[in-house]
Amino acid sequence: VKDLISLADLTTDELMHLLDVAHDLKQKQKAGTPHRILDGKTLALIFEKPSLRTRVTFQTGMFQLGGHTVLIDTQLGARESVPDVARNLDRWVDGIMARTFLHQHVLELADYATVRVINALTDELHPCQILADAQALREHKGADFSSLKLVFVGDANNVYNSWLNFAT
């Protein structure tokens, strides 16, 4: 899979593989074992919405993996079109993470960039949050999701939609 836009785009095996890799990297980090698999890589972090956790975790993760981040606080489509942003960033960075209001903006970034695009939050989906939640569930409840029953209490929103994608 080229991009991480929706968990619905991933097979069960791909989802479990992502969680396995995350678990292994977390264990290496705890053990103090270097795992600089993104050495020399740069990830653009586009923030239309303010963030503490997303910003810090992506910056920290890239640093721990040996990469770098470029922070971009902007309103996509305001000064430059989304395709123009995607084509320019495509020349300068190795990946794009976007936390946007409109899901369409992440889709356009993915359409016009050849580098990987990560959806860090849109009005429709929040796949990275669900991956983090799923990793925590595996750590505390075991690796077998088929025996778990999850209850979502709250509004139907981007988190709800992404949990539905994960469950199917």
Side-chain angles (χ1 to χ4, degrees):
V1 175
K2 177 188 170 258
D3 302 307
L4 178 57
I5 305 299
S6 169
L7 298 179
D9 297 335
L10 302 172
T11 67
T12 300
D13 287 343
E14 289 169 329
L15 281 168
M16 294 306 109
H17 178 70
L18 272 176
L19 295 174
D20 289 341
V21 170
H23 175 77
D24 291 344
L25 291 172
K26 186 174 181 179
Q27 295 309 309
K28 287 179 181 176
Q29 181 67 30
K30 283 183 176 181
T33 305
H35 51 279
R36 305 189 55 80
I37 58 176
L38 296 179
D39 193 32
K41 302 292 183 186
T42 302
L43 179 67
L45 306 179
I46 298 175
F47 287 94
E48 286 188 316
K49 291 181 157 189
S51 170
L52 170 69
R53 286 173 291 281
T54 303
R55 185 177 298 227
V56 172
T57 56
F58 270 91
Q59 284 185 289
T60 302
M62 280 299 289
F63 174 77
Q64 289 173 348
L65 295 171
H68 306 279
T69 58
V70 176
L71 290 173
I72 303 167
D73 292 309
T74 189
Q75 294 302 307
L76 289 168
R79 288 191 60 217
E80 300 171 285
S81 70
V82 177
D84 190 46
V85 170
R87 285 188 293 260
N88 278 291
L89 288 177
D90 195 61
R91 296 183 345 225
W92 304 321
V93 300
D94 302 292
I96 302 168
M97 183 237 61
R99 181 180 171 90
T100 68
F101 290 100
L102 298 176
H103 189 72
Q104 183 60 33
H105 284 168
V106 171
L107 294 175
E108 285 183 73
L109 287 168
D111 283 344
Y112 288 93
T114 61
V115 297
R116 288 197 163 91
V117 174
I118 300 167
N119 174 4
L121 177 135
T122 68
D123 57 342
E124 289 184 29
L125 298 172
H126 201 350
C128 293
Q129 179 65 54
I130 296 340
L131 288 171
D133 291 349
Q135 183 180 4
L137 280 170
R138 280 179 92 187
E139 289 174 358
H140 296 282
K141 297 292 183 181
D144 184 16
F145 286 104
S146 63
S147 64
L148 291 179
K149 292 186 183 188
L150 299 174
V151 175
F152 183 89
V153 178
D155 296 334
N157 60 16
N158 53 9
V159 172
Y160 170 83
N161 292 336
S162 289
W163 268 117
L164 285 178
N165 290 340
F166 184 85
T168 54

